[in-house]
Amino acid sequence: MLRKNEIYPVTFAGYSAEGLGVCRIDGQVVFVAGALDGERAEVRIVKVLKQLAYGRIERLLEASPHRIVSDCPYFVQCGGCSMRHMDYAEELRFKQGRIRDALTRIGGVDPGELPVLGAEETDGYRNKALFPVGEADGAPIAGFYRARSHDVVPVERCRLQAAHADAAKNAILTWMRENRVSVYDETQNKGLVRHLYVRSAFGTGQVLVCVVVNGKKLPNEDGLVDAIRKAVPEVNSIVLAVNREQTNAVLGAEYRTLWGADVIEDTLCGLNFRLSPRSFYQVNRKQAQRLYAIAREKAALTKNDTAIDLYCGTGTISLVLAKDAGEVIGVEVIPAAIEDAKENAARNGVENARFFCADAGEAAARLAKEGIRPTAVVVDPPRKGLSEDVIEAIAVMSPDRVVYVSCDPGTLARDVKLLTEKGYSLVSAEGVDLFPRTPHVESCVLLCRE
Ligand code: SAH
């Protein structure tokens, strides 16, 4: 039995799904943040649970050749990045291992070669900056949450973000101080400014700055607009988002444009997309383009084929597929996203894509009942993966190919197993790194009917 505060010599072998180093002490699994595969260290046990324990490196005895010194002063207080202690090659190896482990252990399938497409840019790739606002010594601060908490770590310059995102944030903080604008306190549901949010369209250079407020208006809004325009001359749109609920959801339902356009637009895979503050949009545009190209290739559609894109968001994947397909049907549960998808189809002159707003399971069941027989079904669900009724309906429609785009290898693997029980087999699997320096990774797999 491991004892808290005892120190043990260990050798690390592999990583947890979150990228923590894994070692075994007396047969018990211990997770240690900041440890790399192959390293030897003395580890102090800090927490003992039933199945596993957590430890901390007391003394590193032998460092991995992949260990690097973090280039970010906020690492590890800031909960944003957690891989800045290893080189990118090792990070990709971890990500590949994470997908492979899930597919073999949970999915019961052999993913084969499983290439993971690394990003050319591991810094400055994020097109969406979401800064929670907090308070320190009576002054407003903004940055990121400390891991597993809602304590705001003030960050002046985040390496993952575009410089103008930080410039906007810093200018808004100065304006808040000068105008004595209050900071939202989530425990009391009091105070005004909750989050600062900057969305950048790297394809067009357009920028939207959004201030999320627990109220309908801010004092001296003209001053705010001036401050943001001065700090970020390239800004196209300044929006106030009203969120008066006591909730973890960042954005509310109500928006008011303070200056400029209501929305911005970006180019993606040769198409043009409208982005409102509320639209879902992959945070890494360059890597998203590669991900969608892989999904398109795996779907392998021709003009004789119908494809269904479940969880279509604002229609990004649907419109990419429509280039090859006879018809694409996109399904999405959020009404505003479906409006965006329709608008995006129209602005690109795409006439062979139709969209409707429904739960993926209900929609798939309805399409199956209507006798729609798609050649391919593409799914891109949120982290929790597919519901069982979606898998049932896919089995009924019996497409030749299922292309599964996933942001969570664990639920992907669970669903792959269920699909193999419905007569599908895994043909290929790839990872695409949309989130360098974090443990997150996207994957895209192709399953074919046997
Ligand atoms: N494919 C899109 C969006 C993927 S994000 C893109 O790459 O841009 C996942 C989407 O699934 C979100 O837009 C979310 O609103 C939607 N969603 C979540 N639960 C759903 C459900 N039960 N039925 C349909 N769509 C759902």
Side-chain angles (χ1 to χ4, degrees), residues 280-282 292 309 311-314 316-317 331-334 337 358-361 380-382 384:
F280 175 87
Y281 192 54
Q282 287 287 6
Y292 296 160
D309 177 20
Y311 311 89
C312 71
T314 57
T316 40
I317 295 179
V331 176
E332 158 66 45
V333 80
I334 295 180
D359 166 70
D380 182 9
K384 65 176 192 264

XYZ file of all heavy atoms in Angstrom, residues 280-282 292 309 311-314 316-317 331-334 337 358-361 380-382 384, ligand 1:
211
model
N -19.615 27.618 -33.881
C -18.498 26.709 -33.624
C -17.547 26.788 -34.814
O -17.960 26.723 -35.962
C -18.971 25.254 -33.461
C -17.805 24.309 -33.308
C -17.260 24.054 -32.063
C -17.199 23.717 -34.421
C -16.150 23.231 -31.921
C -16.095 22.896 -34.294
C -15.573 22.653 -33.037
N -16.273 26.907 -34.522
C -15.276 26.949 -35.586
C -14.008 26.345 -35.011
O -13.597 26.708 -33.895
C -15.038 28.406 -35.988
C -14.246 28.610 -37.265
C -14.638 28.003 -38.457
C -13.116 29.432 -37.281
C -13.919 28.226 -39.633
C -12.408 29.662 -38.447
C -12.810 29.060 -39.620
O -12.104 29.285 -40.772
N -13.410 25.400 -35.731
C -12.192 24.774 -35.209
C -11.156 25.846 -34.891
O -10.974 26.780 -35.677
C -11.633 23.773 -36.230
C -12.444 22.485 -36.339
C -12.267 21.562 -35.141
O -11.622 21.921 -34.146
N -12.864 20.390 -35.215
N -10.202 18.150 -42.546
C -11.358 18.044 -43.437
C -10.960 17.396 -44.769
O -11.753 16.660 -45.364
C -11.984 19.420 -43.675
C -12.555 20.071 -42.426
C -12.777 21.440 -42.366
C -12.888 19.310 -41.302
C -13.308 22.039 -41.224
C -13.409 19.910 -40.157
C -13.606 21.271 -40.124
O -14.124 21.867 -39.002
N -23.922 14.296 -42.991
C -22.933 14.854 -42.064
C -23.653 15.143 -40.751
O -24.379 16.126 -40.638
C -22.340 16.135 -42.683
C -21.344 16.831 -41.763
O -20.820 16.170 -40.832
O -21.072 18.034 -41.986
N -23.840 16.152 -36.797
C -23.091 17.109 -35.959
C -22.336 18.083 -36.867
O -21.127 18.249 -36.724
C -22.099 16.392 -35.036
C -22.668 15.232 -34.262
C -22.667 13.948 -34.796
C -23.203 15.415 -32.993
C -23.180 12.878 -34.085
C -23.714 14.354 -32.274
C -23.700 13.077 -32.819
O -24.196 12.007 -32.117
N -23.064 18.694 -37.795
C -22.389 19.458 -38.866
C -21.980 20.857 -38.447
O -21.289 21.536 -39.198
C -23.265 19.492 -40.106
S -24.730 20.527 -39.897
N -22.421 21.333 -37.263
C -22.042 22.692 -36.865
C -22.516 23.692 -37.909
O -23.674 23.658 -38.346
N -21.627 24.563 -38.362
C -21.994 25.579 -39.349
C -21.783 25.085 -40.777
O -21.694 25.876 -41.707
C -21.196 26.868 -39.120
O -19.808 26.516 -39.180
C -21.478 27.459 -37.757
N -19.240 23.208 -42.128
C -17.887 23.181 -42.704
C -17.612 21.873 -43.464
O -17.278 21.902 -44.647
C -16.833 23.354 -41.592
O -17.259 22.602 -40.455
C -16.681 24.799 -41.191
N -17.779 20.745 -42.777
C -17.464 19.462 -43.427
C -18.474 19.181 -44.548
O -18.095 18.742 -45.641
C -17.444 18.309 -42.387
C -16.310 18.535 -41.388
C -17.286 16.948 -43.071
C -16.191 17.480 -40.299
N -26.832 17.721 -40.378
C -27.716 17.730 -39.207
C -26.974 18.311 -38.012
O -25.820 17.956 -37.760
C -28.176 16.287 -38.859
C -29.013 16.297 -37.576
C -28.942 15.664 -40.008
N -27.676 19.176 -37.289
C -27.040 19.855 -36.155
C -28.131 20.279 -35.174
O -29.227 20.638 -35.584
C -26.263 21.060 -36.707
C -25.963 22.174 -35.746
C -25.011 21.776 -34.639
O -23.990 21.125 -34.916
O -25.310 22.115 -33.475
N -27.831 20.237 -33.887
C -28.876 20.454 -32.877
C -29.075 21.934 -32.526
O -30.121 22.319 -32.033
C -28.587 19.593 -31.617
C -27.531 20.227 -30.728
C -29.854 19.302 -30.840
N -28.084 22.781 -32.789
C -28.214 24.197 -32.411
C -28.806 25.003 -33.574
O -28.204 25.069 -34.650
C -26.860 24.786 -31.971
C -26.409 24.068 -30.688
C -26.945 26.289 -31.738
C -25.093 24.548 -30.144
N -26.588 27.505 -35.425
C -25.546 26.902 -36.262
C -26.139 26.482 -37.605
O -25.497 26.636 -38.654
C -24.927 25.702 -35.545
N -31.836 19.184 -35.759
C -32.412 18.086 -34.980
C -31.304 17.416 -34.190
O -30.121 17.601 -34.485
C -33.058 17.072 -35.919
N -31.714 16.638 -33.232
C -30.773 15.774 -32.534
C -30.278 14.720 -33.527
O -31.059 14.192 -34.330
C -31.491 15.118 -31.351
C -30.691 13.956 -30.789
O -29.645 14.209 -30.183
O -31.095 12.800 -31.012
N -28.995 14.425 -33.492
C -28.393 13.519 -34.478
C -29.084 12.160 -34.497
O -29.360 11.607 -35.570
C -26.907 13.359 -34.185
N -29.395 11.635 -33.314
C -30.027 10.316 -33.229
C -31.409 10.312 -33.856
O -31.749 9.444 -34.657
N -19.065 13.923 -36.524
C -18.056 14.730 -35.829
C -18.655 15.197 -34.504
O -18.936 16.365 -34.315
C -17.662 15.922 -36.721
C -16.580 16.784 -36.099
O -16.002 16.387 -35.065
O -16.298 17.869 -36.655
N -18.900 14.232 -33.592
C -19.637 14.570 -32.369
C -18.778 15.306 -31.352
O -17.558 15.308 -31.457
C -20.021 13.190 -31.817
C -18.924 12.293 -32.271
C -18.496 12.814 -33.620
N -19.416 15.930 -30.352
C -18.643 16.480 -29.236
C -17.989 15.352 -28.442
O -18.161 14.183 -28.759
C -19.690 17.216 -28.401
C -21.017 16.785 -28.889
C -20.846 16.161 -30.223
N -18.437 13.612 -25.905
C -19.116 12.432 -25.365
C -19.393 11.367 -26.427
O -19.822 10.262 -26.096
C -20.377 12.818 -24.612
C -21.474 13.433 -25.446
C -22.698 13.652 -24.551
C -23.930 13.985 -25.347
N -24.225 15.394 -25.469
N -18.375 19.402 -37.921
C -18.390 20.744 -37.406
C -18.818 20.855 -35.937
C -18.285 19.832 -34.997
S -18.523 20.244 -33.285
C -17.028 21.387 -37.622
O -16.015 20.715 -37.764
O -16.976 22.628 -37.672
C -19.850 19.226 -32.817
C -21.208 19.794 -33.147
O -22.189 18.854 -32.705
C -21.531 21.104 -32.464
O -21.895 22.051 -33.444
C -22.734 20.759 -31.564
O -23.664 21.801 -31.472
C -23.326 19.576 -32.268
N -24.135 18.663 -31.436
C -23.965 18.345 -30.134
N -24.869 17.435 -29.741
C -25.642 17.145 -30.821
C -26.741 16.277 -31.045
N -27.229 15.509 -30.068
N -27.269 16.218 -32.283
C -26.772 16.988 -33.282
N -25.734 17.840 -33.129
C -25.182 17.930 -31.915
